[in-house]
Amino acid sequence: MTIFNSFVLLPQSIVELLITLDNFLLMMSMAALGLTTQVNTIKQAGIKPLILG
């Protein structure tokens, strides 16, 4: 995306559309990861890994 913005290879409207699409796809992938997380696994690991980040 940086190359497209640096050399102005695409019109601004298309760049904005691609950024919106990118954000949407990122949101969908993060939601999919969240849906596969099992609460029991988090409980077994305890609070320490959550605190450590």
Side-chain angles (χ1 to χ4, degrees):
M1 191 57 71
T2 304
I3 293 172
F4 291 120
N5 286 332
S6 297
F7 295 113
V8 191
L9 297 175
L10 296 172
Q12 185 64 30
S13 60
I14 293 178
V15 172
E16 290 175 5
L17 177 68
L18 290 173
I19 290 172
T20 302
L21 178 64
D22 179 56
N23 287 335
F24 177 74
L25 293 174
L26 178 62
M27 178 195 64
M28 294 297 289
S29 64
M30 296 297 282
L33 285 173
L35 290 174
T36 60
T37 303
Q38 296 178 359
V39 177
N40 290 335
T41 307
I42 296 173
K43 285 181 183 177
Q44 288 175 350
I47 191 75
K48 196 170 186 178
L50 294 175
I51 293 173
L52 294 176

